[in-house]
Amino acid sequence: DSGVTQTPKHLITATGQRVTLRCSPRSGDLSVYWYQQSLDQGLQFLIQYYNGEERAKGNILERFSAQQFPDLHSELNLSSLELGDSALYFCASSVGPGTNTGELFFGEGSRLTVL
Amino acid sequence: AQKVTQAQTEISVVEKEDVTLDCVYETRDTTYYLFWYKQPPSGELVFLIRRNSFDEQNEISGRYSWNFQKSTSSFNFTITASQVVDSAVYFCALSEKNNNAGNMLTFGGGTRLMVKP
């Protein structure tokens, strides 16, 4: 158990819909990261938040957005869903903002299926 | 730009065999971090190791060992006396220090290891 909690574990929805994925980081971790794992693209970095502020952006679509709340949990919002958005979405957390500030621990992922 | 290549997409071994998973990386930074993660069939990503670019010492942890060679930009992972429970997809990843993305990892495509009894 990494200590990173993601909900829901599984989600099935239709094209055009909007979903929200939630992540609670490990106790004491200030950074939260979102990654997408799809068959086509492999594991890709989407976005990072550190202590409530956006820190870095990767290959995140404009239809997707995220935020980190004062209690440090984070939500990833996916809208106008397309079939290609079907993937496993991972949240990860670390103590600090950078690679040299601690290991990166991943949650179990939220599997999104868009029909 | 950083890149990680895991040329072996799938490896099949019989239990108790040793197996080495290859990882080759590309980066322009002199300071970077390398990682290995395990993804068992249940789907979670399990952290195995993190090394920084200044530490070229090989590391051993039980049946696992890692060989970091900057000269060939490789960070290979060996499992000794493999077991069925080692069956998983293994990912190598790289993070550059001098980017704005902190722990932004670039992952390789993964190697699926199947250990047969």
Side-chain angles (χ1 to χ4, degrees):
Chain A
D1 183 1
S2 67
V4 179
T5 304
Q6 289 187 247
T7 57
K9 286 191 169 25
H10 300 276
L11 190 55
I12 301 174
T13 189
T15 54
Q17 296 298 305
R18 172 190 170 92
V19 298
T20 297
L21 309 181
R22 182 188 168 102
C23 169
S24 294
R26 293 190 321 150
S27 177
D29 285 359
L30 299 178
S31 264
V32 169
Y33 310 76
W34 287 97
Y35 282 80
Q36 179 196 58
Q37 184 178 29
S38 65
L39 288 175
D40 293 344
Q41 303 291 332
L43 265 164
Q44 285 197 108
F45 168 75
L46 294 179
I47 197 164
Q48 176 194 1
Y49 281 83
Y50 174 69
N51 205 18
E53 300 287 327
E54 182 183 301
R55 175 84 176 180
K57 252 182 178 176
N59 297 322
I60 187 166
L61 299 173
E62 284 191 13
R63 299 184 286 108
F64 296 0
S65 65
Q67 53 184 326
Q68 186 180 27
F69 295 87
D71 67 352
L72 300 177
H73 91 271
S74 178
E75 293 181 356
L76 178 67
N77 301 297
L78 315 175
S79 61
S80 303
L81 286 168
E82 301 175 1
L83 296 177
D85 298 328
S86 296
L88 188 53
Y89 291 85
F90 284 105
C91 171
S93 72
S94 67
V95 171
T99 311
N100 59 342
T101 56
E103 298 159 357
L104 192 61
F105 292 94
F106 283 80
E108 294 186 350
S110 292
R111 185 170 295 281
L112 172 66
T113 302
V114 182
L115 300 176
Chain B
Q2 53 191 30
K3 184 179 177 182
V4 177
T5 302
Q6 294 179 255
Q8 306 147 309
T9 53
E10 208 167 280
I11 300 176
S12 181
V13 299
V14 176
E15 208 169 18
K16 296 184 185 173
E17 284 184 11
D18 298 348
V19 58
T20 295
L21 310 182
D22 297 333
C23 173
V24 174
Y25 61 91
E26 294 176 29
T27 176
R28 284 178 283 193
D29 272 10
T30 55
T31 303
Y32 50 89
Y33 297 83
L34 295 164
F35 302 76
W36 276 95
Y37 283 87
K38 173 182 179 179
Q39 187 175 39
S42 49
E44 73 272 26
L45 281 170
V46 179
F47 170 85
L48 296 178
I49 190 171
R50 179 188 67 159
R51 301 306 298 277
N52 73 55
S53 52
F54 295 109
D55 183 2
E56 284 193 74
Q57 271 195 325
N58 291 332
E59 181 153 341
I60 298 174
S61 176
R63 296 183 298 107
Y64 294 171
S65 62
W66 290 269
N67 184 355
F68 177 28
Q69 292 200 347
K70 281 177 85 167
S71 60
T72 55
S73 297
S74 65
F75 187 43
N76 296 338
F77 172 31
T78 297
I79 302 175
T80 303
S82 60
Q83 301 175 1
V84 173
V85 293
D86 295 327
S87 297
V89 180
Y90 291 85
F91 291 94
C92 180
L94 165 71
S95 177
E96 294 173 339
K97 180 174 186 287
N98 293 321
N99 62 34
N100 292 323
N103 258 325
M104 184 194 86
L105 301 184
T106 296
F107 284 87
T111 297
R112 181 178 300 278
L113 174 64
M114 292 176 289
V115 181
K116 299 177 181 176

